[in-house]
Amino acid sequence: MMKRILTDFFFAIAAIALVASCANENKSGRTDTFSTGSIQYASDASFSPIIEEIRELFEYKYPNAKLTPIYTDESEAIDLLMKDSLWLAITSRDFKPKELEYLKAHKQFPQSIRFAYDGLAIVQNAQNTDSCISVKDIRRILKGEVKRWDEIYPGSKLGDISIVFDNKKSSTVHYVEDSILGGKPITAPGAFAVDSTAEVVEYVEQHKNAIGLIGSNWLNDKRDSTNLTFKRGIRPMAVSTLDVANDKNSYKPYQYYFYNGNYPFTRTLYILLNDTHMGLPTGFKNLIISQTEGQMVILKAGLLPAYGNITFREVHVNDE
């Protein structure tokens, strides 16, 4: 008799839990699981090449899952997450304290997960022979203190310096203003933004006097298994932390130099997650940080994975 009473009690508890679960599900409107369903996620467009590869891998592995990306600027991606319009965003910054406070006050469960490191690449026209530059001179250019190439390289015939960005609200612009200029805006008269990284590359290819600032993942040529061959028409400048740059103290945005800290413009990439449902966004996050899946895609794409044991051979400025 007692056994039957206990059995009935446990069945009642299970039924209550099931009803509560269904009520919560109906309230949120979500039915996705770790590997099934349909969601949207947002990402800064500058990371789209690598994130697209991982998205395709996820949907191949889980054919009952549909991930719809919104590739936009970083500000919009985070704004969509804060508005509860979606539950996952790919960015180059962590949550700000006020953002965490807001989400927690609304009984949310925000998480930030580091998943990779990339470099902010300074790309130049392939016909520009001055291939090394110092952090100091980059900063002077962005402040408008230097406006012509011959102010840095005496004898240069390239004239005025043009600086092109992918988007006014992109992670690239945020990184420049926060990490290179110490929280101050870009004031160079020759600086302007286009609409995408692809347009930055195209502009630099067509203008010998231009430099572009882009994420290093856009430089990778998938035909090159060593990730040392960059797109034709442009090439990355080697950057030095010393005031006078040369080929012995300057480094290009290679994985090895992200790893050992020699490349000065290295960024951390984050998954910002607010998935109280613990569904498809969490499943996608898990694949991105998987050492045998997402992290391998990141490694082959020329970025530095945040997880796993990695061995590099040392490379040099003139390894092209």
Side-chain angles (χ1 to χ4, degrees):
M1 182 70 176
M2 179 61 68
K3 182 177 180 180
R4 181 175 179 181
I5 292 173
L6 289 173
T7 301
D8 290 345
F9 173 77
F10 285 124
F11 271 119
I13 293 297
I16 291 170
L18 179 62
V19 169
S21 174
C22 291
N24 287 335
E25 180 179 276
N26 291 334
K27 184 177 180 181
S28 69
R30 291 181 60 184
T31 59
D32 56 289
T33 71
F34 268 40
S35 58
T36 66
S38 178
I39 62 158
Q40 289 184 316
Y41 68 90
S43 172
D44 187 287
S46 63
F47 309 134
S48 61
I50 178 66
I51 300 302
E52 270 299 287
E53 288 189 51
I54 301 177
R55 181 192 64 79
E56 290 173 4
L57 172 62
F58 187 89
E59 291 186 349
Y60 177 80
K61 183 175 182 178
Y62 302 111
N64 292 322
K66 176 63 178 175
L67 304 174
T68 302
I70 300 173
Y71 292 118
T72 180
D73 60 74
E74 185 172 80
S75 296
E76 178 66 16
I78 294 173
D79 189 48
L80 288 169
L81 186 71
M82 297 299 295
K83 289 179 178 178
D84 203 27
S85 299
L86 43 77
W87 305 281
L88 184 148
I90 307 294
T91 71
S92 67
R93 73 163 176 86
D94 201 344
F95 283 112
K96 294 179 179 179
K98 288 185 178 180
E99 293 167 345
L100 285 173
E101 291 173 9
Y102 174 86
L103 291 171
K104 290 177 180 178
H106 287 76
K107 298 182 179 180
Q108 300 299 302
F109 185 58
Q111 295 176 278
S112 62
I113 303 97
R114 291 178 293 176
F115 73 95
Y117 305 92
D118 83 333
L120 183 70
I122 314 298
V123 295
Q124 63 182 171
N125 186 281
Q127 296 182 51
N128 187 341
T129 58
D130 297 309
S131 59
C132 299
I133 194 166
S134 68
V135 171
K136 178 181 177 181
D137 283 336
I138 286 292
R139 191 175 289 119
R140 292 168 65 209
I141 290 171
L142 293 167
K143 288 181 176 181
E145 296 172 358
V146 169
K147 302 179 180 64
R148 293 178 53 84
W149 283 104
D150 57 12
E151 294 178 69
I152 301 176
Y153 309 105
S156 173
K157 305 297 183 184
L158 295 179
D160 293 337
I161 302 172
S162 292
I163 313 113
V164 57
F165 295 88
D166 53 348
N167 187 293
K168 291 180 180 179
K169 297 181 179 180
S170 72
S171 60
T172 300
V173 172
H174 290 162
Y175 180 87
V176 167
E177 293 181 339
D178 294 343
S179 299
I180 300 179
L181 296 179
K184 297 180 180 179
I186 300 161
T187 53
F192 66 98
V194 287
D195 292 324
S196 68
T197 302
E199 289 183 49
V200 174
V201 172
E202 182 180 0
Y203 185 89
V204 175
E205 284 180 326
Q206 296 174 359
H207 296 81
K208 295 179 183 180
N209 67 320
I211 56 172
L213 283 77
I214 65 175
S216 62
N217 70 93
W218 280 85
L219 298 172
N220 177 45
D221 187 334
K222 294 181 182 178
R223 295 168 298 178
D224 176 19
S225 62
T226 66
N227 291 329
L228 298 179
T229 300
F230 296 108
K231 291 183 178 295
R232 295 188 175 100
I234 65 168
R235 62 182 179 185
M237 301 189 79
V239 183
S240 175
T241 56
L242 301 181
D243 288 351
V244 180
N246 59 52
D247 61 4
K248 295 189 185 331
N249 63 25
S250 303
Y251 303 91
K252 290 187 178 181
Y254 295 150
Q255 288 167 318
Y256 180 76
Y257 295 131
F258 304 156
Y259 178 76
N260 67 14
N262 281 337
Y263 190 71
F265 300 145
T266 301
R267 305 182 296 180
T268 304
L269 307 189
Y270 292 90
I271 302 166
L272 301 186
L273 192 67
N274 187 31
D275 185 19
T276 54
H277 181 76
M278 299 293 285
L280 202 50
T282 300
F284 188 37
K285 177 267 294 184
N286 289 345
L287 186 127
I288 293 173
I289 65 174
S290 166
Q291 292 186 32
T292 58
E293 295 176 300
Q295 294 289 287
M296 290 303 296
V297 173
I298 288 167
L299 178 66
K300 292 178 180 178
L303 276 67
L304 179 65
Y307 301 93
N309 296 319
I310 304 165
T311 302
F312 293 102
R313 72 176 181 86
E314 186 168 359
V315 291
H316 303 278
V317 169
N318 294 321
D319 286 350
E320 293 274 355

